[in-house]
Amino acid sequence: MHVKAKKIAIGGLMLAFSIVSMLLGNILESNTVFFLALASFFVGIIIREFGMKTGCAFYLAGVLLGVIVVPNKLYVVTYAAMGIYILLSESVWRQIRKMLGNNTMFSIEQYKVALWVIKYAIFNLMYIPAVLGCSKLLFGKQLSLGMTIGVLIAGQIGLFIYDKAYDYAVGTIWNKIRGKLFN
């Protein structure tokens, strides 16, 4: 009983931080992407602490609460896309860890390459259609071919930075904080 209460309390606290981050992105528009990325990082924290089912429930709660609370719904859509990316990449990582545990014939480096290829595939399955299909909504006008290519390349670089920031936030910073929360 105590474990479930703690799980619910931590989940609620993380959900509140996630929603506050989305709201801060709405208020401080020069830092919108930072705050939306921060909000989505909490999805990964919940997945790593409590599993995929709880992470999916947390993600859905974040999206639904965001739709209700956050004034700019495009920010909620961005949070939703970032959260889906984290859900899928964490799921892929869990599958790769299982395969590593089974001592398959591939090296750790080959698994890392496969993980990055899959992460980029997940990202591009969401990103390319959004840029090509919604450029008027995202940029206020139809982009030229050169600008579209530039935006697509910038997205690839942005994903690399986002993923490294996520790994650092969840793997390093959260590990320091979690010891104080779970004691």
Side-chain angles (χ1 to χ4, degrees):
M1 185 72 170
H2 173 68
V3 174
K4 284 187 179 184
K6 192 174 234 183
K7 184 177 176 179
I8 291 169
I10 289 172
L13 185 64
M14 295 292 170
L15 185 58
F17 285 148
S18 188
I19 297 301
V20 166
S21 295
M22 278 191 266
L23 286 169
L24 284 172
N26 200 56
I27 294 167
L28 304 170
E29 295 205 7
S30 62
N31 294 321
T32 299
V33 174
F34 168 79
F35 284 116
L36 293 176
L38 177 63
S40 69
F41 289 175
F42 291 111
V43 174
I45 290 170
I46 294 297
I47 291 170
R48 289 192 183 184
E49 289 299 327
F50 305 118
M52 287 301 293
K53 287 182 184 178
T54 305
C56 288
F58 178 88
Y59 166 75
L60 289 174
V63 171
L64 292 174
L65 196 54
V67 166
I68 294 168
V69 175
V70 177
N72 190 337
K73 303 309 179 214
L74 188 57
Y75 294 168
V76 179
V77 171
T78 305
Y79 164 79
M82 289 175 163
I84 284 285
Y85 170 78
I86 288 177
L87 280 170
L88 293 174
S89 65
E90 286 289 332
S91 177
V92 167
W93 171 240
R94 287 170 181 256
Q95 293 301 317
I96 287 177
R97 270 197 343 223
K98 279 184 190 176
M99 291 165 63
L100 283 171
N102 294 336
N103 293 326
T104 58
M105 60 185 185
F106 299 107
S107 70
I108 291 174
E109 289 304 316
Q110 289 170 319
Y111 282 113
K112 286 181 181 180
V113 169
L115 179 63
W116 272 104
V117 168
I118 294 168
K119 283 181 176 186
Y120 271 95
I122 291 167
F123 171 74
N124 283 309
L125 283 172
M126 293 184 294
Y127 184 67
I128 292 172
V131 169
L132 298 178
C134 303
S135 65
K136 285 186 181 177
L137 176 65
L138 297 173
F139 304 106
K141 63 179 181 174
Q142 189 67 34
L143 296 177
S144 68
L145 179 62
M147 285 296 292
T148 302
I149 292 170
V151 167
L152 292 174
I153 291 170
Q156 308 311 305
I157 296 166
L159 173 66
F160 182 79
I161 294 167
Y162 173 78
D163 201 76
K164 289 297 183 183
Y166 170 72
D167 286 342
Y168 181 75
V170 175
T172 304
I173 296 172
W174 172 247
N175 281 337
K176 290 179 183 176
I177 295 170
R178 78 180 296 276
K180 295 175 184 165
L181 276 177
F182 289 105
N183 284 336

